[in-house]
């Protein structure tokens, strides 16, 4: 069940060339990722850059089968459709990098130096989570046919349920309310800029920029892997998205998301 409250092709609300030009605002939906996925599966072709935003998601989904909870009307919960046909499936992590950079660059003028990208694609402010992404690629014939980029960011929410891991909102940091549409518009234009760089083959720029904004990069920290705590230092992120951590005897180990946890 969903309610559509606003649908238009508007050039005046979302700046940029194509990301957000086709914009749908839903009063309520289970998950904007589900909605967009159904839209691309069921109907006529949906144009690249379409953005679905919800005032309320009653079954928002996060990474690793977690839920995503956001107080209605106070936060950004939206999904963007991209069609990165140019990107080899083996390099799909470059899309994660480009989108993370877009979100980062839109928020950095507001939040400054405390902002980081926590591998693989969380947005952190110091040691607290401001938001995250759920990127679902639809692969067909060895090609990424559609990428559903779901983004959740805590903007004007002031209280979080106990048990949520280290959440923070823009309002808790800056002590004032922010206009959701303005932030959304900035995010869309920055995602577009990084996506176009990727499309133009500027892979080294995308990879180096992502790495330079990484939370805990080159700092000795504690991680949990295979039920054990280890001391290590993030050194790199492989082309395929694996995290490279140097342990305390100088070995470089590679981890997927399920294999390593940051210990705060
Ligand atoms: C995470 O950090 O676990 C990822 C959170 C992603 C949440 C967003 S909100 C919009 C989109 N729709 C969903 O159901 N999930 C993503």
């Amino acid at each position: 069940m969903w309610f559509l409250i606003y649908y238009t092709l508007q050039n005046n609300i979302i700046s940029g060339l194509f990301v957000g030009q086709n914009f749908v605002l839903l009063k309520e939906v289970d998950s904007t990722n589900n909605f967009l996925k159904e839209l691309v599966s069921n109907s006529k072709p949906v144009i690249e850059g379409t953005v679905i935003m919800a005032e309320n998601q009653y079954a928002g989904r996060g990474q690793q089968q977690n839920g995503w909870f956001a107080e209605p009307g106070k936060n950004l919960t939206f999904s963007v459709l991209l069609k990165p046909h140019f990107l080899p499936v083996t390099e799909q992590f470059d899309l994660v990098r480009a989108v993370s950079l877009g979100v980062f660059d839109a928020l950095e003028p507001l939040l400054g130096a405390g902002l980081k990208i926590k591998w693989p694609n969380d947005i952190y402010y110091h040691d607290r989570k401001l938001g995250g992404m759920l990127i679902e690629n639809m692969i067909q014939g060895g090609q990424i046919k559609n990428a559903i980029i779901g983004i959740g960011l805590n903007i004007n929410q002031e209280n979080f349920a106990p048990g949520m891991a280290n959440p923070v909102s823009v309002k808790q940091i800056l002590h004032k309310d922010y206009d959701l549409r303005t932030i959304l518009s900035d995010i869309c234009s920055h995602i577009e800029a990084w996506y176009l760089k990727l499309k133009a083959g500027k892979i080294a720029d995308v990879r180096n920029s992502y790495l330079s904004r990484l939370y805990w990069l080159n700092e000795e920290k504690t991680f949990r892997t295979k039920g054990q705590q280890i001391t290590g230092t993030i050194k790199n992120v492989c082309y395929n998205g694996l995290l490279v951590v140097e342990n305390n005897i100088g070995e470089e180990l590679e981890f997927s998301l399920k294999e390593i946890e940051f210990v705060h």
Side-chain angles (χ1 to χ4, degrees), residues 31-33 57 60-63 68 78 122 129 132-133 150-152:
S31 148
T32 55
N33 269 33
Q57 278 192 139
R61 294 188 290 115
Q63 283 172 20
W68 183 257
F78 65 99
D122 282 345
K129 180 162 169 166
M133 285 159 226
I151 300 175

Side-chain angles (χ1 to χ4, degrees), residues 42-251:
N42 294 338
S43 67
K44 304 178 275 203
V46 182
I47 62 166
E48 185 172 39
T50 293
V51 171
I52 310 291
M53 174 171 159
E55 288 194 350
N56 182 28
Q57 278 192 139
Y58 53 83
R61 294 188 290 115
Q63 283 172 20
Q64 298 186 296
Q65 268 69 54
N66 290 318
W68 183 257
F69 307 97
E71 204 177 320
K74 296 201 169 178
N75 299 293
L76 280 175
T77 47
F78 65 99
S79 302
V80 183
L81 176 67
L82 293 175
K83 302 187 181 194
H85 302 168
F86 59 89
L87 197 64
V89 175
T90 48
E91 317 228 324
Q92 52 189 298
F93 194 76
D94 285 328
L95 186 64
V96 173
R97 290 181 170 98
V99 174
S100 304
L101 284 165
V103 176
F104 180 97
D105 282 3
L107 295 174
E108 207 236 9
L110 275 184
L111 298 172
L115 199 67
K116 293 282 173 200
I117 299 170
K118 183 182 173 216
W119 175 85
N121 53 6
D122 282 345
I123 302 297
Y124 259 55
Y125 183 75
H126 292 286
D127 292 319
R128 295 165 74 185
K129 180 162 169 166
L130 194 64
M133 285 159 226
L134 179 66
I135 301 185
E136 299 181 289
N137 291 331
M138 298 162 79
I139 294 168
Q140 216 176 67
Q143 237 193 6
I144 309 174
K145 195 146 187 280
N146 296 298
I148 313 277
I149 318 280
I151 300 175
L153 290 167
N154 305 324
I155 307 293
N156 295 321
Q157 185 163 337
E158 287 174 283
N159 300 300
F160 292 91
M164 283 178 71
N166 296 328
V168 71
S169 68
V170 174
K171 182 160 189 186
Q172 286 177 325
I173 300 164
L174 299 175
H175 307 290
K176 61 180 214 179
D177 276 305
Y178 280 82
D179 179 51
L180 298 181
R181 292 281 194 98
T182 308
I183 301 183
L184 175 67
S185 173
D186 288 346
I187 292 173
C188 288
S189 22
H190 281 95
I191 288 178
E192 180 172 305
W194 280 106
Y195 182 68
L196 291 176
K197 271 192 206 183
L198 189 63
K199 199 170 181 175
K202 297 183 179 148
I203 316 270
D205 187 6
V206 171
R207 291 184 184 173
N208 294 336
S209 302
Y210 172 87
L211 196 65
S212 71
R213 289 158 174 80
L214 214 58
Y215 178 72
W216 283 11
L217 180 72
N218 291 326
E219 294 176 42
E220 195 174 79
K221 295 287 180 184
T222 307
F223 301 86
R224 188 172 301 113
T225 176
K226 295 184 184 148
Q228 283 189 334
Q229 293 209 351
I230 62 159
T231 301
T233 307
I234 297 176
K235 288 291 177 188
N236 202 358
V237 175
C238 297
Y239 80 95
N240 58 5
L242 295 180
L243 186 71
V244 180
V245 177
E246 186 183 278
N247 67 12
N248 54 7
I249 53 164
E251 293 168 328

